[in-house]
Amino acid sequence: MSIDAAVAHLLATDPRFAVEPVRIRGVDYTAFSNIPPHTRALLERAAEVQSANGDPFLVFGEERYTYEEFCRHINVLSGVLSSRFGVEKGQPVAIAMRNCPELLMLMMAITSMGAVAVFLNAWWTTEELDYAIQDSAARIVFADGLRSERLAPLVDQLDLAVIGVRDADSTGPLSFSGLMNGAQPFDETVEIDTDDDMAIMYSSGTTGQPKGVVQTHRGAMNAVYTWLMQAEIAALVEPPEPDAPAPLRPSFLVVTPLFHVTATHPVFLLGIAAGAKLVVMEKWDADHAVELIEREQITRLVGVPTQSADLMVAAARMNTSLNSLTFIGAGGAKRPAAQVPDLVARFPGAQIATGWGMTETNANGIGLVGREYHDRPNVAGRLYPPVQELRFLDDAGNQVSPGTVGEITVKSPCNMRCYLNKPEATAEVMQDGWLRTGDLGSIDEFGVVTISDRKKNIVIRGGENIACLDVEGAVHRHPAVAEACAFAVPDDRLGEVVGVGVVLKPGATLEPEALQRFLGDHIARFKIPEHIWLLEGTLPRGTTDKLDRRALRSMCLNKQAEGPEFT
């Protein structure tokens, strides 16, 4: 069956994937009509398939939770938020921690009572946390040890209630276990509209401060059911052999940070709906990932390309092909084309896939899997049906012809509601329901998209988006710096890392290592430039006297090729 025929068949025969025209905030869309309207309904609807698939539902180290236990914790947490803190519908509640079960429980407890989950990047400094907390207006923060330490200077200033989780449980006046002990489940019925706000996730943009992406329940649920439908499409396009063994229970390994959409949506939320077991890693370790995949019979892994590469090396060293894996996807950054045949050879039983999505699209977007991707590893994939539309626009907003490079622009109910407190930035990218992504690409006669460049000044380091202006703003805080311009430097393992060209003030001296140490107090470690060029005179500029980032990058990389003394 062709892809188009499979889509038409499912739309006509499977009620889960029925669609209808809807009007959202004055704009007409196509959306799923029979899906859960919000996260609380998702938990309720998934109970049957989760029970049928067996226990456990959630694994973290030696901890194992049934689905019933997981939902019970969620209900008690909602009760704590309501009775202890007076949290009401629409109120922001922040989460700042590494991957752990409490993060997932909090996400669902907050959103299923109609409040808004605010995800804070666990790598942020105190300054960065300060910005996001003030921007989101969250005054309740659940945080683990290191995040609690970073939040400590803000508690009195912002009148925060910080609840210690895991290694912070016994270090402050409010502890997670203390609040949960003896607490009663949430017993209220809060009416949640499908277009109510669900979460705020911060995404780096071209401005110096991160943007709070406001996601709705409808956006997230439409993304989840889009991915569920892709699995059904794949089974119709390439049906399993009649004598194929019964498939393993779906088991997903969570390997990327849960404050990012790649982990929360196409892994966690999809895992709930698919009846999957979820195995959570606190942090990435390739050898441990191999052990978990074998022990828990993991079937699906979605991570940044660096993690796929690390997994290959570890599996080869440990002499295993990880036969339970049936799907290895990439998100957060583009996988190097040269990695694809190596993955196919190392993991012959797994479908190797690529995907493109954004925090602004609830991670929904474009993808390609299997043989077609093996044959064309440089492409981004096809638009996932059936609720998305796709255009390619020139700088004036006109649609370009197929095969011509334009800005990738998508329309779907999965798109964000807005950038929090940034109406001008919202208006710049959201026009009549269409989201201008800032990525440049083209589409061929087969509907396959190739991404060629970025309009935005972003460095994607191992899946982390880093705004060049964010880095430059921090570098300029050093009293010896006169000018600074950041850019992407190719890296074999991480894809890209941050480089910066710096001109010092007359008579000033500064060693690159000293600048890196200085930056550690102002920006997260992953944003700190790994390559620093100290230049004389002025940085290159274009005809309008703006800094010429591309020219500087080319100049610095040429210097790097001449010898290490230039960095």
Side-chain angles (χ1 to χ4, degrees), residues 7 9 36 79 81 116-117 180 198 208 233 235 266 280 415 436 438-439 471 482 501 505 526 534 539 558:
V7 172
H9 174 76
L81 290 168
V116 181
M180 293 288 283
M198 180 196 81
I233 292 170
V280 178
N415 286 353
R436 300 192 68 154
D439 288 317
V471 176
K505 294 177 181 177
F526 69 91
L534 298 176
L539 297 179
N558 287 338

Side-chain angles (χ1 to χ4, degrees), residues 483 485 539-551:
E483 286 189 316
C485 183
L539 297 179
R541 282 170 162 74
T543 55
T544 59
D545 204 37
K546 292 183 179 179
L547 286 175
D548 191 334
R549 197 178 306 273
R550 291 189 177 185

Side-chain angles (χ1 to χ4, degrees), residues 165-187:
V165 179
R166 293 275 160 174
D167 55 346
D169 192 79
S170 60
T171 60
L174 296 171
S175 74
F176 184 87
S177 62
L179 292 173
M180 293 288 283
N181 187 27
Q184 297 301 307
F186 190 61
D187 59 1

Side-chain angles (χ1 to χ4, degrees), residues 107-423:
M107 173 184 176
M108 300 309 284
I110 294 164
T111 61
S112 63
M113 65 184 295
V116 181
V118 180
F119 292 87
L120 303 178
N121 191 309
W123 292 321
W124 277 346
T125 64
T126 298
E127 288 183 15
E128 292 164 315
L129 290 167
D130 184 14
Y131 170 79
I133 289 171
Q134 293 202 54
D135 183 59
S136 66
R139 291 299 176 263
I140 302 167
V141 187
F142 288 80
D144 63 10
L146 185 56
R147 268 45 66 176
S148 293
E149 292 176 11
R150 293 174 184 168
L151 288 165
L154 307 175
V155 171
D156 292 337
Q157 173 189 335
L158 301 181
D159 191 24
L160 299 181
V162 178
I163 298 93
V165 179
R166 293 275 160 174
D167 55 346
D169 192 79
S170 60
T171 60
L174 296 171
S175 74
F176 184 87
S177 62
L179 292 173
M180 293 288 283
N181 187 27
Q184 297 301 307
F186 190 61
D187 59 1
E188 298 180 36
T189 301
V190 178
E191 294 294 328
I192 304 174
D193 188 88
T194 191
D195 291 313
D196 284 344
D197 294 346
M198 180 196 81
I200 299 169
M201 285 187 158
Y202 281 88
S203 177
S204 293
T206 55
T207 59
Q209 299 288 2
K211 297 186 180 76
V213 177
V214 181
Q215 301 167 338
T216 67
H217 288 269
R218 190 201 295 266
M221 295 303 101
N222 271 266
V224 167
Y225 272 75
T226 294
W227 298 316
L228 277 178
M229 187 174 179
Q230 304 321 299
E232 300 292 341
I233 292 170
L236 293 172
V237 173
E238 293 187 29
E241 296 295 332
D243 57 349
L248 295 171
R249 176 191 178 183
S251 298
F252 298 177
L253 187 61
V254 181
V255 298
T256 57
L258 282 161
F259 48 79
H260 282 327
V261 71
T262 300
T264 53
H265 289 47
V267 182
F268 172 55
L269 292 178
L270 175 61
I272 291 175
K277 174 174 67 176
L278 293 165
V279 180
V280 178
M281 296 187 72
E282 180 185 35
K283 61 180 180 179
W284 174 247
D285 178 274
D287 288 3
H288 187 43
V290 169
E291 295 167 357
L292 287 173
I293 292 167
E294 292 190 315
R295 186 184 82 190
E296 303 293 343
Q297 291 293 278
I298 299 296
T299 61
R300 181 183 178 92
L301 184 148
V302 176
V304 297
T306 301
Q307 292 170 320
S308 300
D310 290 349
L311 191 70
M312 280 193 292
V313 173
R317 185 175 60 253
M318 300 167 76
N319 194 29
T320 178
S321 59
L322 303 178
N323 291 329
S324 65
L325 282 174
T326 59
F327 184 94
I328 301 176
K334 187 180 185 300
R335 176 184 281 129
Q339 191 185 101
V340 177
D342 294 338
L343 284 168
V344 173
R346 171 50 57 183
F347 307 116
Q351 292 281 290
I352 310 303
T354 187
W356 171 93
M358 304 174 68
T359 309
E360 288 88 339
T361 67
N362 276 277
N364 202 8
I366 295 166
L368 206 63
V369 63
R371 183 171 301 279
E372 194 171 18
Y373 176 45
H374 308 167
D375 294 341
R376 304 181 66 185
N378 284 304
V379 303
R382 288 190 178 85
L383 192 73
Y384 294 137
V387 300
Q388 299 186 100
E389 300 175 64
L390 179 66
R391 290 177 178 172
F392 295 81
L393 305 180
D394 61 20
D395 289 341
N398 301 312
Q399 196 163 351
V400 302
S401 58
T404 303
V405 173
E407 183 175 4
I408 299 172
T409 308
V410 292
K411 179 182 179 183
S412 87
C414 303
N415 286 353
M416 67 174 183
R417 181 172 68 80
C418 67
Y419 287 126
L420 184 67
N421 302 324
K422 290 180 168 55

Side-chain angles (χ1 to χ4, degrees), residues 95 97-107 119 258:
I95 306 170
M97 62 190 71
R98 298 193 77 126
N99 287 4
C100 62
E102 289 85 349
L103 194 159
L104 298 176
M105 295 169 186
L106 282 162
M107 173 184 176
F119 292 87
L258 282 161

